[in-house]
Amino acid sequence: MDLSPRDKTLTLIGIMLAVFLGALDQTIVATALPKIVEDLQGVSRYAWVATAYLLASTVLVPIYGKLADMYARKRIVLFAITTFLLGSFLCGLAGEFGTLPLLGDGMTQLIVFRAIQGLGGAGLFSLAFIVIADLFPPRERGKYQGLVGATFGFASVLGPWIGGLLTDYGSGIVPGIEGWRWVFYVNVPFGAIALWFVATRMPPLRPREAAKRLDVLSALFLIGALVPLVLGLSFDRAVYPWAGPVTLVTFAIALVFGVAFVLRSLASANPVLEVRLFADRVFSTANVAAFLLGAAFLSTVIFLPLFMVNVVGVSATRAGVSLIPLSIGTVLGSVFGGQIASRLGRYKGLMVFGSVVLLVAMFLLSTMSVDVPYWQVTLYMVIAGLGVGPGLPLYTLAIQNAIDPRKVGQATSAAQFFRQIGGAVGAAVMGTILATTLAGAFGALGDSAALEGLEAPAISGGELASTGGADVGSAVRAAFEAQADALVAALESPDPHALAAALQASAVPSEARGFILGAAAGARGDAAVTASLAAQLRAQLA
């Protein structure tokens, strides 16, 4: 394949635009979701807006990789971008024409259209790395894959901020169109540019050998395993707990189909993903590392704003801005990691170094307290980004260099798949840890009688990924506000024993109860002093 540097550059620009849109869409919707749910009146189905996209975009990644090994890469890329843009446009139209036949109301329409968007989004990331493997020799791939990794990290962190801006101010762009709809419409012009670059400048990039007939049964088994797996990880734990029958049955179905897929893959001449690839040490090790990297990255993106808003007490805007240093670090780590790997021709040391830096960053983040200064959070996030950055391109590069070039499509998509599954597992596990930690913290406040109305909120990975965890802090504050109301009502009651009974049933520490009772006794009969004491109680609890 003889391409001019100009054509290679223009093709790369088109691919990076597609990656930017796909990565942006994974997080941009989270900020707009509360307004979307309010307008479409679908609060009971809000989590499915994120789940539908996550499900489609994760499950189909390995299938895109296999198709890229069988047909011209250009055709697959054009299909992915076109499907993504169609889904984006339809999402923006959700509910505009009321209830529709088959599609139902606006919220159901949005869920269906998000799944269509995910069908296209699944191909954007893995195909980018596959195309780079075709355009550039192994020695040069690192620096270009570093650019794609930087684009992914930058867009992922920028998403919540842009989503907030469009939701709050987008209604002024075109009168009569709600701001949240621009979260989807904004994809269309940029995606059209990417489509033009790919259609006019990208070569066909045909596979290295004649296409064999795809083993459809292995693809069906793989889908049958991945759909219940992703669903099980995304369930609302308040409704479907980990040990509940629905969750266990879901994972059991995934296991059965997973075993069937492995057996079919071993027996098939052309499975959708060759299980024998895992016998390669580089392939298996890099995918495990990509899984863990995805878990660490998405967990940080989800939980840092939650910590900043509900613990440190900053505004939602400042919490979103706190992720920008992570983006900067990721961009720098990805770009320089790819450049250094291309210059040296070695990358194992860079991957180990990045992992160590990320481990240090996670330890530093775990030491943050309620009074952590903003500059310190910024520093820690830059360090985390520098640790994440090199892994985004280099694990994929290691896999491509170790695998038969005829199988580079499915091998590359496997790395993307494991990174996305890692993010889903990380969000689910960390959400459970947070819920358990909150329950334990509430339990330490006193006996069960003192905790009435002060239960820890149930948290699921899917909910956190789709809402940013905004409900966690509000649930805790609501519980304390309810206790403050009960104490103030008892303080103002004519019954002299009412306050003592209310304190006994509250989460107020025992050492503070005597002080409150003494102050209340001194204030009895004086309305002004009683009002002042009531205000102090509210300030401390609410």
Side-chain angles (χ1 to χ4, degrees):
M1 180 179 60
D2 187 16
L3 293 175
S4 68
R6 182 173 180 269
D7 283 343
K8 288 184 178 181
T9 300
L10 292 176
T11 300
L12 184 64
I13 291 173
I15 291 296
M16 289 177 63
L17 277 172
V19 169
F20 179 83
L21 290 175
L24 190 71
D25 202 74
Q26 288 187 340
T27 55
I28 193 174
V29 179
T31 315
L33 196 56
K35 183 61 176 174
I36 294 174
V37 169
E38 179 185 340
D39 282 358
L40 299 183
Q41 299 179 358
V43 64
S44 63
R45 290 165 286 165
Y46 78 97
W48 282 100
V49 176
T51 302
Y53 184 90
L54 176 67
L55 192 62
S57 63
T58 302
V59 168
L60 291 180
V61 165
I63 295 176
Y64 268 106
K66 182 62 178 181
L67 292 176
D69 282 340
M70 298 175 61
Y71 305 104
R73 276 34 160 182
K74 181 176 181 177
R75 291 169 57 187
I76 309 300
V77 173
L78 289 174
F79 174 81
I81 296 177
T82 302
T83 305
F84 180 81
L85 292 182
L86 174 63
S88 297
F89 182 71
L90 292 175
C91 284
L93 290 177
E96 283 278 40
F97 305 103
T99 301
L100 299 176
L102 299 179
L103 292 176
D105 63 6
M107 195 66 177
T108 303
Q109 294 170 33
L110 180 62
I111 292 169
V112 173
F113 298 153
R114 282 285 283 169
I116 295 174
Q117 200 180 23
L119 293 177
L124 299 182
F125 304 117
S126 56
L127 287 169
F129 289 108
I130 294 170
V131 169
I132 287 175
D134 287 328
L135 293 178
F136 304 101
R139 180 85 182 200
E140 297 180 18
R141 289 175 190 166
K143 58 183 178 181
Y144 296 108
Q145 290 181 346
L147 292 176
V148 173
T151 302
F152 172 82
F154 181 69
S156 297
V157 177
L158 203 61
W161 180 65
I162 294 178
L165 287 178
L166 290 174
T167 302
D168 292 339
Y169 306 107
S171 56
I173 298 176
V174 177
I177 298 181
E178 295 92 338
W180 64 263
R181 296 186 185 277
W182 288 103
V183 168
F184 302 107
Y185 288 149
V186 73
N187 291 332
V188 177
F190 291 103
I193 296 174
L195 198 63
W196 179 83
F197 272 112
V198 172
T200 60
R201 298 299 178 180
M202 181 176 174
L205 301 179
R206 295 183 176 87
R208 296 172 182 266
E209 61 180 7
K212 301 176 183 178
R213 184 176 180 181
L214 177 65
D215 184 3
V216 177
L217 189 57
S218 70
L220 292 177
F221 283 155
L222 182 61
I223 293 173
L226 296 181
V227 168
L229 174 63
V230 176
L231 282 177
L233 293 171
S234 304
F235 280 153
D236 183 349
R237 297 301 158 207
V239 181
Y240 306 110
W242 285 107
V246 174
T247 302
L248 293 179
V249 168
T250 302
F251 286 144
I253 293 172
L255 179 61
V256 169
F257 275 102
V259 171
F261 164 72
V262 171
L263 296 177
R264 180 66 184 182
S265 177
L266 292 173
S268 174
N270 193 34
V272 68
L273 175 62
E274 295 191 25
V275 176
R276 292 183 180 87
L277 290 173
F278 289 93
D280 186 284
R281 184 178 178 183
V282 173
F283 180 83
S284 56
T285 303
N287 279 318
V288 170
F291 176 91
L292 297 174
L293 182 69
F297 181 75
L298 186 59
S299 297
T300 304
V301 170
I302 289 174
F303 285 95
L304 183 76
L306 180 65
F307 173 82
M308 295 299 290
V309 171
N310 297 299
V311 178
V312 180
V314 303
S315 66
T317 300
R318 291 197 72 193
V321 171
S322 68
L323 288 175
I324 293 179
L326 174 65
S327 175
I328 294 173
T330 301
V331 170
L332 292 176
S334 186
V335 170
F336 286 111
Q339 292 283 347
I340 293 172
S342 292
R343 289 180 180 275
L344 298 180
R346 297 187 298 273
Y347 39 77
K348 182 177 180 180
L350 288 170
M351 295 154 70
V352 173
F353 175 76
S355 299
V356 172
V357 172
L358 181 59
L359 184 63
V360 171
M362 293 299 105
F363 171 75
L364 293 174
L365 289 170
S366 72
T367 64
M368 294 191 303
S369 62
V370 66
D371 56 352
V372 62
Y374 201 84
W375 68 264
Q376 196 168 325
V377 178
T378 300
L379 175 62
Y380 292 171
M381 294 305 285
V382 170
I383 296 173
L386 291 173
V388 169
L392 292 178
L394 294 185
Y395 289 125
T396 302
L397 179 63
I399 288 173
Q400 290 177 341
N401 289 347
I403 296 300
D404 185 338
R406 295 172 297 177
K407 302 175 182 178
V408 71
Q410 57 183 306
T412 301
S413 66
Q416 175 60 35
F417 166 74
F418 280 105
R419 187 180 299 122
Q420 289 186 214
I421 285 290
V425 171
V429 172
M430 295 304 174
T432 300
I433 292 174
L434 177 58
T436 304
T437 303
L438 286 175
F442 288 156
L445 292 175
D447 56 31
S448 57
L451 300 176
E452 184 176 355
L454 194 59
E455 294 84 9
I459 302 166
S460 71
E463 176 186 354
L464 286 168
S466 60
T467 67
D471 292 340
V472 177
S474 60
V476 174
R477 285 190 292 271
F480 276 103
E481 287 171 1
Q483 288 210 350
D485 290 341
L487 289 175
V488 170
L491 176 65
E492 297 173 346
S493 171
D495 182 359
H497 304 294
L499 181 59
L503 284 170
Q504 187 64 31
S506 75
V508 174
S510 56
E511 57 269 21
R513 295 174 186 174
F515 174 80
I516 295 174
L517 287 172
R524 186 163 298 279
D526 190 328
V529 177
T530 300
S532 176
L533 181 58
Q536 292 179 48
L537 280 174
R538 287 192 182 279
Q540 291 297 319
L541 288 175

